[in-house]
Every structure is written in structure tokens, then in C-alpha cells.
């Protein structure tokens, strides 16, 4: 059997409003939890109580996701700012007169 090799390079990942998407999903999970609460007895009687707790778990995991993507977004912005600042710092300094170098 021959090993499979990709015919095309992988596309660049899509970057969009990740924080807004995760926040929206978290809100949706929490709203679904709240909508199901008045029917708690019905869900319990029919063996579907896990639906209620799944929505609450989705909201809780969404909060962790919001924390994660906000940190990721901040790290990406810091990296872009550092990359933009690095060429400016390198352009004005030469190797002459730098302390600690042997010229």
C-alpha cells in the first residue's frame, strides 16, 4: 500500500472575530439552560435531564473558552506589535560602538 501524500498545501487558517463567536456561543448555551429550567420536571420524568446539564456545561466551558481566546488574541496582538517594533529598533543602530563587541 502506498503512503498518501497531500496534493495541495494546507490553506492558511481563517481568522475572524473569534472572541465574539465564542462569546455568542456561550450566551446561547446559557440561554438554552435558562429556557429549559421551567421544564426541569418534564425532562426528569422523560429521562432527558442530561439536556439541561449539557447546556449548563456548554456555558461553563464557554467561559473557559472566552478566557482562552481573549488571551490568545492579546498574545497575537503583542507578537504583531513586537514584530513591527523590531525593524524600527534595528534600522537605527549599527555594530560600531556597541559595548561588548570585538571589532
Amino acid at each position: 500500500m502506498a503512503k498518501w501524500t497531500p496534493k495541495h498545501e494546507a490553506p492558511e487558517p481563517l481568522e475572524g472575530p473569534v472572541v465574539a463567536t465564542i462569546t455568542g456561543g456561550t450566551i446561547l448555551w446559557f440561554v438554552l439552560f435558562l429556557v429549559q429550567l421551567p421544564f426541569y420536571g418534564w425532562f426528569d420524568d422523560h429521562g432527558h435531564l442530561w439536556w439541561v446539564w449539557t447546556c449548563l456545561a456548554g456555558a461553563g466551558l464557554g467561559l473557559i473558552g472566552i478566557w482562552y481566546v481573549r488571551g490568545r488574541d492579546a498574545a497575537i496582538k503583542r507578537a504583531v506589535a513586537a514584530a513591527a517594533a523590531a525593524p524600527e529598533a534595528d534600522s537605527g543602530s549599527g555594530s560600531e560602538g556597541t559595548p561588548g563587541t570585538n571589532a
Side-chain angles (χ1 to χ4, degrees):
M1 226 184 204
K3 182 178 176 184
W4 179 82
T5 56
K7 297 183 188 321
H8 306 286
E9 287 188 33
E12 290 293 321
L14 296 174
E15 290 294 332
V18 181
V19 175
T21 303
I22 301 300
T23 303
T26 302
I27 291 170
L28 181 63
W29 278 114
F30 190 68
V31 166
L32 288 172
F33 170 73
L34 292 177
V35 166
Q36 291 178 353
L37 274 181
F39 305 102
Y40 187 88
W42 184 90
F43 284 115
D44 193 22
D45 292 343
H46 290 85
H48 297 302
L49 197 55
W50 64 271
W51 290 7
V52 177
W53 301 119
T54 299
C55 292
L56 185 61
L61 290 172
L63 291 174
I64 295 169
I66 292 169
W67 170 77
Y68 178 81
V69 296
R70 288 185 67 196
R72 178 184 177 269
D73 195 35
I76 290 171
K77 288 179 182 175
R78 281 193 308 268
V80 168
E88 294 171 5
D90 291 341
S91 65
S93 64
S95 61
E96 300 90 32
T98 305
T101 59
N102 295 330

